[in-house]
Amino acid sequence: MKKYAYMALIGVLCLAFSQFLIYDYAPTERTMGYAQKIFYYHLPLAWWCFVSFFISFVSAILYLFKKNMCYDRLSAVSAEIGFLLATLTLVTGSIWGRQSWGVWWTWDPRLTTTLVLWFIYAAYLVVRTMAMPNEKRAAVSAVITIIGFLDVPLVFFSARLWRSIHPAVFASKGGGLEAEMVHTVIFCVLTFAFIYIPLLAFRLKQVQQLQSMETLRTRMLYEEN
Amino acid sequence: MLKTALLIAQKDLRLILTRSAGLSQALLLGLLLVFLFSLSLQTGEKLSPQAASTMFWLSSVFCQVLIFQMLYALEEQNSARVGLQLLPSQVQAVWLGKFLAGMLLLLIAQVIFIPAMFVFLNQSLGFYLFHACVGILLTDIGICACGSLLGALCVGQSGKESILSIILFPLLVPLLLAAIRLSSLGLADLSEIPSVVDHAEILRWHGLALAFDALFCSAALVLFPFLYNGDDS
Amino acid sequence: MNAIQALTYANIAIWLGIGAYCFFLAKKQSEMDRRLNSLILQSKTENDA
């Protein structure tokens, strides 16, 4: 766990340096002005949200075939953090949209995909709290994760096709970044790696310890009887 | 596997259609939704085809949640589920059987929802009727494939209807987008369609629905055994 | 809402979100510590008996 603590420290330092990059180094965008700087956190949040759900997806598949509870724990923890990052992505995306386009929400394919993923993983987290045997909960959660993740490309394409019948009033966010902006966004993505990985490791350790404690408690109760 | 699936579908349909409650609960829910939504209209006001088809699909999806919850609840008494699992056939036959039964029940319900939509929401038959019918069929396949897989997930849980709804509805978003677009074309006459409809666009929506069906039917065949096993909750 | 305000609210939202998750982690950790202490106490009582 020590290496994750050092990673978190590096993350905090990188976060401090990223402030300089965002507000001093990166130029202000011509049309959107200062509001465009939300992008430097919005994109890393979205990126790590999808990485988190991908980790959850892979762990779920590994659990179903190997039946090792450590994969279930990893899947659950990644989904939890992915849910947090998806929430923050949606909130920052909405604020940026309100400022740039005058609307809190639009049928942008990326925002729509994130929202659908948010709903799927919210349902996943609800299922995790339901009272059922651990193995059944793990199997049910794994199935939800797998089909939720498989749905993602379909949601993206359907939202894009839907938007094409309602002509796009809003310009695409991503076009034409200057070099300094690209450097800043890459640095911010790496900074969030140093925040995401320690969070994941710490929460995973916590869940593992909780399960070990439950096992110990059950064994003690059994021996008592 | 197909023979077992057909037997299971036959058994389920016989049990549901011969009982007094049967399909009526699911049907009434759908009809009530259409009727209550019609309260939002002024006298003589016509709802847009897109809004009407959205309402139709919302009613269908809520109806489908109740249908699959009902289908899987048939085996909850007296551990009858274990009996099904002991069948000398692949367990996916249960998924397929429930899927076929659910599909037929949903089609019966939709046959009643469509006239209700015309009556309460002031709709009429549109130009692209054939494409709309193909769209309805493809969407029903996708909805039932998902419903049959996820219905197994909620067996024996308290609050199973709500948990099934909150898992199912986000998954169905791409399919519902295709369904709403295609069925709205079946309600809109030529004067209401703003420009010449691109046939390539219609084929893309059909393609999307077909891709959804293929993906979720394959996923269901792989994942169903993990959900429908001997564990009692 | 002007551009600076939008930027500020977005930053506030991000740090509130991450802060809330850290608070959740801390709460879970203290719950776990409490349960561990009660387990230790329980095993001590059994050993004494």
Side-chain angles (χ1 to χ4, degrees), chain B residues 56 75 78 110 173 182 232:
Chain B
F56 168 73
E75 283 93 32
N78 299 323
Q110 286 180 327
V173 161
L182 290 168
D232 276 330

Side-chain angles (χ1 to χ4, degrees), chain A residues 42 89-90 93 96-97 101 103-116 155-156 158-163 166 168 170-174:
Chain A
H42 175 75
T89 305
L90 290 168
W96 188 14
W101 305 321
V103 288
W104 289 106
W105 183 261
T106 176
W107 275 87
D108 177 72
R110 286 161 294 193
L111 270 180
T112 308
T113 309
T114 311
L115 182 65
V116 169
V155 174
F156 182 79
S158 64
R160 201 164 70 168
L161 195 53
W162 184 264
R163 205 173 76 156
H166 303 287
F170 318 114
S172 156
K173 285 191 258 193

Side-chain angles (χ1 to χ4, degrees), chain A residues 4 8 21 36 40 42 50 54 84 87 93 101 106 109 122-123 128 132-133 147 166 168 181 193-194 208 221:
Chain A
Y4 297 115
L21 289 178
Q36 183 270 344
Y40 298 115
H42 175 75
F50 281 100
F54 181 70
L84 166 72
T87 311
W101 305 321
T106 176
R128 294 271 341 166
M132 57 175 98
I147 55 178
H166 303 287
M181 290 178 176
F194 287 104
Q208 191 185 326
L221 280 170

Side-chain angles (χ1 to χ4, degrees), chain A residues 66-77:
Chain A
K66 300 209 171 168
K67 297 285 188 236
N68 190 337
M69 289 306 277
C70 74
Y71 294 121
D72 172 59
R73 285 193 290 267
L74 179 59
S75 183
V77 168

Side-chain angles (χ1 to χ4, degrees), chain B residues 132-146:
Chain B
C133 291
V134 171
I136 288 173
L137 204 62
L138 287 174
T139 308
D140 283 351
I141 291 172
I143 288 176
C144 293
C146 276

Side-chain angles (χ1 to χ4, degrees), chain A residues 15 23 34-35 37-38 41 80-81 84 88 91-92 95 98-99 199 202-203 206 209-210 213-214 217 220 224, chain C residues 1-4 6-7 9-11 13-15 17-18 21-22 24-25 28-29 32 35-36 39 42-43 46:
Chain A
L15 210 57
Y23 295 106
Y34 269 108
K37 292 188 188 285
I38 296 173
Y41 281 156
E80 201 177 88
I81 299 178
L84 166 72
L88 296 176
V91 168
T92 52
I95 294 173
R98 176 66 177 160
Q99 178 57 32
L199 260 183
F202 181 74
R203 181 64 177 145
Q206 208 180 49
Q209 282 175 342
L210 195 67
M213 244 172 44
E214 286 300 312
R217 187 172 151 270
M220 279 173 65
E224 206 175 290
Chain C
M1 181 165 68
N2 63 30
I4 302 279
L7 188 54
Y9 296 151
N11 272 295
I14 291 169
W15 299 114
I18 293 181
Y21 189 65
C22 291
F24 164 79
L25 290 179
K28 286 283 172 195
Q29 190 65 33
M32 208 162 62
R35 286 168 85 174
L36 188 62
L39 268 179
Q42 199 178 339
S43 76
E46 281 167 24

